[in-house]
Amino acid sequence: MLIAFRTDSSLLIGMGHVMRCLTLAEALRKKGGDVFFICRDLQGNMCEQIERQGYRVHRLPCAKRRRIISSRPLHSPLLKNSLLADVRQTQEALAKENAADWLIVDHYALAIEWEQKIRPFVKRIMVIEDLANRPHDCDVLLDQDALLENNNYNDLALVPERCRVLQGPRFALLRSEFYKFRKMRANRPDEVRRVLVFFGGSDLTNETAKAICALLHVNNSKLVIDVIIGQANQSFEEIKHLCSLLPNVTLHIQIQNMAEIMAQADMAIGAGGMTVWERCCLGLPSLVTVVAENQERV
C-alpha cells in the first residue's frame, strides 16, 4: 500500500504536524506500507529529519512572493503560495510515485477546495485535524484533541456522510516508546526532584526562557532540570546562557528520546499542544501554558 503525507513544518507552523504524521507513518510502515512525504521547503522545516527516518520527501518550492488566491481557510498564508499552485505542485509530486492508495493531510491551510482538486489523483483521503472550523472532503478524519461535548464533525456537516470520524484522545498519535515507559513509570514521588521544560520545536514566543527565569527563583539547589528545544529555536543563545545560571541543568537539542526523559521527570512545564497527550500517557503532572487558541479547550 502506497501512502502519501501532505504536511508542513517551519518556524511559524512549528513541528507538531510533522511529528504526529511521523508517528502514524512509522505505524503504517510496520504494517508494510510504503510511505512518502510532500512538504514545502519552508524556513525551519523538518525535511532532513523526515529523510533520516527513511522516508522519501518531495519538497515543494516557496513562491518568491506570497500570493493567496483564496482567503479561505483562515490559515491560508501558512502555505506561502497560492492554493492553486499548491494543488498543482502536490499533483506533480504524486505523479512521480505510483498511484497513492491514501493521501493523509495534516495542514491548517488545506480544506475542501484543495481536497476536491486532489481527489482524482488518489484513491482515499484522510485528514488529521483539531480545529473543526472548516469543511473537508475526506474518507477518514482524525481529531485526537476533540472532546465529547464539542467538535462533532458530523453534526456540524464538516465532513461527508461516508466519512469515518475518529475523535478523542483514545485515538491520540503516540509513539510506541511512550507505552513502554508508561509501564515502567507507574508511580511518582510526592516530592518534585526533577523538572522537564519543553515548549515545542520552535517556541516562537520563547516560553522556554520565561520558564527558566521562573526556576531561577526556586530555592532548591538539588532540583534537576531538563530543558528541551528544537534545532529551529531562534533563542538558543539566550536559553543556553540562562541554563548556565542554574545548577543541575541539561540542555537537550532536537532529541529522539523524549519518552525516556519525560518518564524521568516528576513535573513538566510546557505548552498545550501535542505533548499534552504524551504527558498524560506517562501520568506526568504539568504546568501548561496556552500558546495558541486551539489549545485552550484541551
Side-chain angles (χ1 to χ4, degrees):
M1 181 175 290
L2 185 63
I3 303 145
F5 281 84
R6 174 68 185 96
T7 187
D8 283 334
S9 55
S10 70
L11 296 177
L12 178 61
I13 296 172
M15 312 297 152
H17 298 280
V18 166
M19 291 304 296
R20 63 187 179 187
C21 285
L22 282 171
T23 299
L24 181 56
E26 182 60 22
L28 292 169
R29 184 163 61 179
K30 287 180 178 178
K31 293 290 186 179
D34 181 10
V35 179
F36 67 95
F37 281 73
I38 303 172
C39 303
R40 193 161 298 283
D41 198 6
L42 302 169
Q43 183 182 7
N45 68 73
M46 296 179 63
C47 291
E48 290 185 4
Q49 183 174 338
I50 298 171
E51 289 172 335
R52 283 197 298 270
Q53 296 194 29
Y55 302 104
R56 303 184 299 282
V57 179
H58 297 269
R59 304 189 188 206
L60 308 185
C62 291
K64 294 181 180 179
R65 293 183 179 179
R66 189 179 70 194
R67 296 182 301 111
I68 303 300
I69 291 178
S70 173
S71 60
R72 298 187 302 270
L74 178 64
H75 296 80
S76 291
L78 295 177
L79 281 178
K80 297 296 182 181
N81 213 325
S82 72
L83 184 70
L84 293 180
D86 196 278
V87 167
R88 175 178 53 79
Q89 292 166 353
T90 301
Q91 290 173 350
E92 291 172 355
L94 289 168
K96 293 177 182 178
E97 304 274 350
N98 295 323
D101 296 287
W102 282 91
L103 172 62
I104 301 175
V105 186
D106 188 345
H107 206 302
Y108 289 156
L110 303 177
I112 189 169
E113 183 181 354
W114 185 92
E115 292 149 2
Q116 288 176 338
K117 289 179 170 61
I118 288 292
R119 182 166 283 283
F121 296 84
V122 296
K123 296 178 182 178
R124 297 284 189 275
I125 295 176
M126 174 180 176
V127 169
I128 302 176
E129 179 63 276
D130 54 40
L131 295 180
N133 66 347
R134 61 200 191 282
H136 291 283
D137 177 13
C138 57
D139 302 284
V140 176
L141 184 141
L142 166 63
D143 184 347
Q144 63 186 20
D145 292 342
L147 306 178
L148 293 177
E149 67 271 21
N150 71 323
N151 292 12
N152 192 315
Y153 290 86
N154 297 111
D155 292 347
L156 295 172
L158 295 178
V159 294
E161 290 186 5
R162 70 177 186 281
C163 178
R164 182 180 181 186
V165 178
L166 309 176
Q167 191 166 320
R170 69 192 181 101
F171 295 106
L173 295 170
L174 297 175
R175 298 189 300 279
S176 58
E177 58 260 34
F178 283 94
Y179 299 102
K180 169 186 172 183
F181 282 99
R182 175 185 175 91
K183 296 176 182 177
M184 295 173 59
R185 187 65 189 266
N187 299 303
R188 295 183 184 276
D190 293 332
E191 180 186 3
V192 175
R193 296 173 294 190
R194 190 166 192 141
V195 174
L196 167 65
V197 177
F198 176 59
F199 284 91
S202 54
D203 187 17
L204 284 179
T205 56
N206 201 7
E207 305 301 315
T208 304
K210 299 174 189 176
I212 299 171
C213 287
L215 288 169
L216 286 170
H217 296 282
V218 176
N219 186 22
N220 186 348
S221 61
K222 295 182 179 180
L223 188 66
V224 177
I225 302 170
D226 290 293
V227 177
I228 301 175
I229 61 174
Q231 62 185 9
N233 193 301
Q234 295 184 306
S235 303
F236 168 73
E237 292 299 334
E238 179 186 1
I239 293 169
K240 180 181 178 182
H241 170 69
L242 289 171
C243 286
S244 70
L245 302 178
L246 279 164
N248 306 321
V249 175
T250 303
L251 177 59
H252 308 266
I253 303 172
Q254 202 66 41
I255 62 169
Q256 300 298 321
N257 60 332
M258 175 67 79
E260 179 182 5
I261 295 178
M262 194 176 286
Q264 295 170 354
D266 303 311
M267 188 184 79
I269 305 174
M274 183 183 68
T275 317
V276 162
W277 305 121
E278 296 172 352
R279 295 190 296 252
C280 285
C281 179
L282 297 180
L284 179 59
S286 306
L287 302 175
V288 182
T289 299
V290 173
V291 296
E293 183 179 351
N294 62 303
Q295 297 176 2
E296 290 182 7
R297 252 338 245 286
V298 175

